[in-house]
Amino acid sequence: MKLTAEISMYPLKEDYVEPIHWFIHRLDNYPGIIRRTNAMATQVQGDYQAVMSMLATEMQAAHEKFGKAVFVCKFIGSELDLSHTE
């Protein structure tokens, strides 16, 4: 089963840009997972278990490295066209 997820990271610190870039670029290290980022959020897509495992691993790593951060996620159990625009 495929999964598409949208995730936004909100580090609870003044220098919030570095942790966000760090998190986004770590998502590129997972083969078989597609990442698209815009000004508001990052979308990832791939096998359901692979995406969920990646997010759990990388959110934990971000908390360990940078401390407090809020992650807001949306999930749809399907493969969406991430290039779609209107």
Side-chain angles (χ1 to χ4, degrees), residues 1-6 27 30-36 43-55 75-80 82:
M1 179 176 184
K2 295 292 185 179
L3 177 70
T4 302
E6 179 176 277
L27 302 181
Y30 291 82
I33 294 181
I34 298 167
R35 175 190 62 85
R36 299 283 187 271
Q43 293 84 29
V44 291
Q45 183 178 85
D47 177 72
Y48 195 102
Q49 290 298 323
V51 171
M52 293 301 284
S53 177
M54 174 194 70
L55 290 176
F75 302 96
I76 184 164
S78 156
E79 192 171 45
L80 299 180
L82 297 179

Side-chain angles (χ1 to χ4, degrees), residues 12-53:
L12 300 179
K13 58 188 292 176
E14 284 189 39
D15 179 22
Y16 58 88
V17 174
E18 177 196 350
I20 293 169
H21 285 155
W22 178 88
F23 179 79
I24 290 169
H25 293 294
R26 285 179 58 100
L27 302 181
D28 292 334
N29 294 320
Y30 291 82
I33 294 181
I34 298 167
R35 175 190 62 85
R36 299 283 187 271
T37 299
N38 61 43
M40 298 281 296
T42 295
Q43 293 84 29
V44 291
Q45 183 178 85
D47 177 72
Y48 195 102
Q49 290 298 323
V51 171
M52 293 301 284
S53 177

